[in-house]
Amino acid sequence: EAGVAQSPRYKIIEKRQSVAFWCNPISGHATLYWYQQILGQGPKLLIQFQNNGVVDDSQLPKDRFSAERLKGVDSTLKIQPAKLEDSAVYLCASSFQGLRNEQFFGPGTRLTVL
Amino acid sequence: GESVGLHLPTLSVQEGDNSIINCAYSNSASDYFIWYKQESGKGPQFIIDIRSNMDKRQGQRVTVLLNKTVKHLSLQIAATQPGDSAVYFCAENHYGQNFVFGPGTRLSALP
């Protein structure tokens, strides 16, 4: 079974630039999550989708971050404009159905903002 | 806000010895807990979970203990191997809310 795919794996940008991350969840998984993991910390949930609808985006900085999951499969996370404190690994995870099902994580995208 | 934390940020263990990783949580309403393992350059990987109606749960070489009285859980790894070297996170959940992850403990298996 193929795992969660993410691209790119690494990205370096300057502050105030924009960046986008892509995630392809495990086939058949209805729930998709984006996490931010700052170096030395545990992952922090940014947004949760159930199919193509947003379940929870309470911790998403909506002035600069946006995410979508068109057609309920792939998802993109965008940052515009980026700040230095956005430097982190952005993890995508998916689960079959809902929060209590096991989440499978992708390898993440490491973002460095200079 | 509610938080989950770890007592030890790093842990070095001789290969073959048992490892114990600790986690404290502060939300007494949390009723579901997961331990994750994260290797360098990879996303977290589910190890074992436990619900609040249990005190202990065993997997293959791993055991999770939950003490609700002091809001503490631990992960025990038997016969630590080089492949166990990673960062371990506990995550707690209260039904209907999202998981809160602790800061992680780095486990190093020494030869």
Side-chain angles (χ1 to χ4, degrees):
Chain A
E1 173 181 89
V4 176
Q6 290 188 247
S7 68
R9 291 296 313 275
Y10 306 91
K11 190 73 176 180
I12 301 174
I13 62 173
E14 295 187 347
K15 59 183 179 182
R16 292 187 289 272
Q17 287 187 323
S18 61
V19 65
F21 313 126
W22 174 82
C23 172
N24 179 238
I26 292 173
S27 178
H29 281 193
T31 310
L32 184 146
Y33 315 81
W34 283 103
Y35 289 86
Q36 180 191 59
Q37 186 175 23
I38 293 173
L39 184 64
Q41 299 181 16
K44 183 186 82 172
L45 181 72
L46 293 175
I47 189 168
Q48 176 190 350
F49 291 95
Q50 182 74 16
N51 296 308
N52 61 349
V54 176
V55 174
D56 185 347
D57 63 355
S58 59
Q59 299 191 90
L60 186 73
K62 298 179 186 64
D63 58 333
R64 298 184 300 107
F65 286 64
S66 65
E68 61 182 8
R69 191 184 184 197
L70 300 176
K71 301 180 181 179
V73 181
D74 293 5
S75 178
T76 56
L77 176 69
K78 298 179 181 178
I79 307 175
Q80 181 179 10
K83 293 185 176 182
L84 297 177
E85 59 261 35
D86 298 333
S87 294
V89 174
Y90 290 85
L91 295 163
C92 180
S94 69
S95 65
F96 178 68
Q97 188 81 15
L99 200 56
R100 294 284 177 117
N101 289 146
E102 180 178 346
Q103 295 184 34
F104 294 84
F105 284 82
T109 296
R110 180 176 295 278
L111 173 68
T112 301
V113 181
L114 303 176
Chain B
E2 301 293 355
S3 64
V4 176
L6 291 170
H7 297 303
L8 298 174
T10 60
L11 179 64
S12 296
V13 177
Q14 291 294 132
E15 286 181 26
D17 287 351
N18 296 336
S19 301
I20 300 177
I21 302 171
N22 296 302
C23 177
Y25 64 95
S26 57
N27 185 353
S28 57
S30 293
D31 61 353
Y32 182 52
F33 305 87
I34 298 178
W35 280 101
Y36 285 93
K37 173 186 180 183
Q38 187 173 26
E39 296 175 277
S40 181
K42 297 182 179 180
Q45 179 183 12
F46 174 97
I47 301 174
I48 191 168
D49 62 354
I50 188 168
R51 298 188 185 276
S52 60
N53 60 350
M54 303 173 68
D55 297 324
K56 178 179 180 180
R57 190 164 189 222
Q58 288 185 291
Q60 189 175 16
R61 282 203 306 120
V62 294
T63 301
V64 55
L65 299 177
L66 175 62
N67 186 330
K68 296 180 287 293
T69 302
V70 296
K71 291 184 286 187
H72 179 271
L73 69 159
S74 65
L75 177 69
Q76 300 179 5
I77 303 174
T80 307
Q81 302 171 0
D84 295 327
S85 296
V87 177
Y88 290 80
F89 295 97
C90 64
E92 59 96 8
N93 177 256
H94 176 219
Y95 189 83
Q97 299 179 1
N98 286 300
F99 280 93
V100 175
F101 283 77
T105 292
R106 181 173 298 280
L107 174 65
S108 296
L110 305 176

